[in-house]
Amino acid sequence: MDFSREKAWSVLTEHVGDMALRKHCVAVEIAMRAYAEKFGEDPEYWGAVGLLHDIDFDKFPDEHPRHAAELLAPYGYDRQFADDIMAHSPDWAPERTRLQKTLVAVDPLTGFILACALVRPDKSLDNLELKSILKKMKDNSFSRAIKREWIIDSAQALGVGLEEHMEFVRTALAEAVKTPLYRAARLVG
Ligand SMILES: [Fe+2]
């Protein structure tokens, strides 16, 4: 089966028109790839799950991510792949696999870290310090849509320390945006 980035990207752009949502999907892809490498898993597969995890959001914002399977099936993605995406629904009942827990954990955190970088004068992920991310976690007026308990609980479910998780994802994003592929995504402007 073809889990290549090239294919996943073309499917994403067919179904997700919103540029901010595409950027979010790319950020989640980057973090998924980094965790796959850390865990000795397949970065291509984990990255494709990240890139396509919000595939049904434009069409079914209220029922997301329950329509992922039907949107992905015509492209040859199998049920396991669709389940790996649909498992980031808050009401997913089965025990999540490590990949699925990772998706739940990086989904809110990537957005939060990018938001922290974007309010810096230099918009730099390199210069964004852990203590400043932690400070923003306590500032309820900042990035209000991202519930802090999503970040905290999902890291715990994955079995990673919160600070270590933040630093890992920040580093993954900071390194990725220096590469030609991800520089083009303009995650931090
Ligand atoms: Fe998402």
Side-chain angles (χ1 to χ4, degrees):
M1 200 167 303
D2 180 6
F3 294 115
S4 67
R5 187 191 196 265
E6 204 180 11
K7 174 177 165 182
W9 177 254
S10 92
V11 174
L12 177 73
T13 52
E14 215 172 297
H15 289 274
V16 174
D18 183 71
M19 289 301 158
L21 184 53
R22 282 189 196 176
K23 282 188 189 191
H24 164 68
C25 293
V26 169
V28 170
E29 177 205 11
I30 291 167
M32 287 298 283
R33 280 181 166 272
Y35 265 120
E37 267 159 35
K38 180 184 164 98
F39 294 146
E41 301 283 352
D42 177 5
E44 197 76 358
Y45 183 91
W46 284 48
V49 169
L51 205 48
L52 292 173
H53 81 285
D54 280 343
I55 190 70
D56 63 346
F57 194 83
D58 263 6
K59 266 185 207 137
F60 304 99
D62 299 328
E63 289 150 50
H64 159 77
R66 296 199 293 274
H67 291 272
E70 72 201 50
L71 292 188
L72 291 170
Y75 301 96
Y77 289 105
D78 62 10
R79 186 68 207 191
Q80 182 61 54
F81 185 86
D83 278 352
D84 285 341
I85 284 173
M86 294 191 293
H88 85 283
S89 170
D91 53 15
W92 181 258
E95 162 110 38
R96 292 189 177 98
T97 64
R98 185 155 66 173
L99 176 151
Q100 294 164 357
K101 287 176 186 168
T102 305
L103 178 59
V104 175
V106 301
D107 191 7
L109 183 60
T110 49
F112 192 77
I113 289 176
L114 289 173
C116 290
L118 283 167
V119 297
R120 292 179 52 85
D122 62 2
K123 296 190 178 10
S124 166
L125 282 158
D126 281 323
N127 298 335
L128 175 62
E129 291 183 40
L130 178 62
K131 67 176 186 207
S132 129
I133 302 173
L134 292 168
K135 203 170 152 196
K136 291 270 193 292
M137 283 284 282
K138 295 197 183 106
D139 175 359
N140 289 326
S141 64
F142 177 77
S143 216
R144 226 178 285 197
I146 304 177
K147 300 275 177 288
R148 305 319 195 243
E149 57 272 27
W150 294 345
I151 294 175
I152 295 163
D153 296 350
S154 59
Q156 201 172 24
L158 180 60
V160 293
L162 182 63
E163 296 188 7
E164 179 200 339
H165 178 49
M166 288 172 163
E167 197 47 28
F168 183 82
V169 171
R170 184 201 63 79
T171 306
L173 291 168
E175 293 307 314
V177 297
K178 291 174 195 146
T179 66
L181 175 64
Y182 293 115
R183 199 183 304 128
R186 302 180 65 84
L187 295 184
V188 279

